[in-house]
Amino acid sequence: MAVALIVAAGRGERLGTGRPKALVPLCGRPMLEWSVASLRAVPDVGQIIVALPADELDAAPAGTIGVSGGADRSRSVRNALAACADGDPVIVHDAARPLATPALFRQALLELARHQDAAAVIAAAPVVDTIKEVGPDGASVSRTLDRTRLWAVQTPQVFRRAALERALAQASDDELARATDDAWLVERSGGVVRILGSDPGNMKITTPEDLRVAELLLSERLR
Ligand code: CTP
Ligand code: MG
């Protein structure tokens, strides 16, 4: 059976509501609960662990196991993984992506099962903007990247348990602090990471504008 880790221990500073982002209401429920509801609809998921701020452990939804998150996202993943003795593969998902559908979780699990050589499968959307890199002055363009090969990475990210455990154990404190996703840690240790084409609708909520857009998309879906 798979285990799902939801990281929800961030402070939500850019959203600026003065409370942890995962607990901010979205269409009448704490944001976190939408991801939990989607994961509950996936038959392969046997257990859901939620990393929360240490003073908000009561906010773990019914039927999930709440654990204290860490100083950064990767350490929250590590704490959640340590809280479940079994469960393979491991689904890692950000509470900040409440619109992830049960179908997306299912597809990611299927894709990993289909590709025995892969250590991980990660949801990602094709990049629609042209991306340029700037030089050390922070303003002059040094090059334009080939957009056809660029993907904007999302969660869910699904890992073979041994690969994720190894990657997290090998990373230094500095690398854990810098990692914005767990797949990077697996890539560094030589693991094959596959992209699963996803929808930009699986948006990440960072700012108050994102929250308004998500309210709109979710209320349309609920109608
Ligand atoms: N996260 C976590 N533990 C941390 C930091 C982040 O579990 N120490 C989680 C967040 O709860 C979120 C996901 O990682 O679900 C992505 O992080 P982000 O969007 O940056 O959320 P916040 O850190 O809460 O937001 P901000 O950076 O604006 O404070
Ligand atoms: Mg953050």
Side-chain angles (χ1 to χ4, degrees), residues 20-103:
K21 182 162 70 181
L23 306 180
V24 169
L26 172 68
C27 291
R29 294 167 79 179
M31 187 184 302
L32 164 66
E33 293 197 8
W34 295 103
S35 299
V36 171
S38 286
L39 281 162
R40 281 214 184 93
V42 181
D44 284 343
V45 174
Q47 225 184 346
I48 303 173
I49 318 283
V50 184
L52 286 159
D55 53 351
E56 298 278 5
L57 291 183
D58 293 351
T64 70
I65 296 170
V67 301
S68 294
D72 43 58
R73 186 186 174 285
S74 298
R75 267 176 273 238
S76 292
V77 171
R78 202 166 62 178
N79 291 1
L81 186 60
C84 56
D86 46 30
D88 191 5
V90 180
I91 301 170
V92 180
H93 184 59
D94 286 350
R97 291 193 190 269
L99 302 188
T101 59

Side-chain angles (χ1 to χ4, degrees), residues 143-164:
R143 63 182 181 134
T144 299
L145 303 176
D146 174 9
R147 191 172 66 188
T148 61
R149 295 178 57 189
L150 296 178
W151 293 82
V153 167
Q154 307 174 344
T155 66
Q157 301 195 342
V158 181
F159 299 88
R160 296 197 198 282
R161 186 176 182 118
L164 182 60

Side-chain angles (χ1 to χ4, degrees), residues 6-11 51-53 68-80 92 94 168 171-182 184-185:
I6 303 182
V7 283
R11 286 279 152 206
L52 286 159
S68 294
D72 43 58
R73 186 186 174 285
S74 298
R75 267 176 273 238
S76 292
V77 171
R78 202 166 62 178
N79 291 1
V92 180
D94 286 350
L168 286 169
S172 66
D173 283 353
D174 175 57
E175 286 163 340
L176 286 178
R178 277 191 295 130
T180 54
D181 80 335
D182 311 290
W184 175 62
L185 299 172

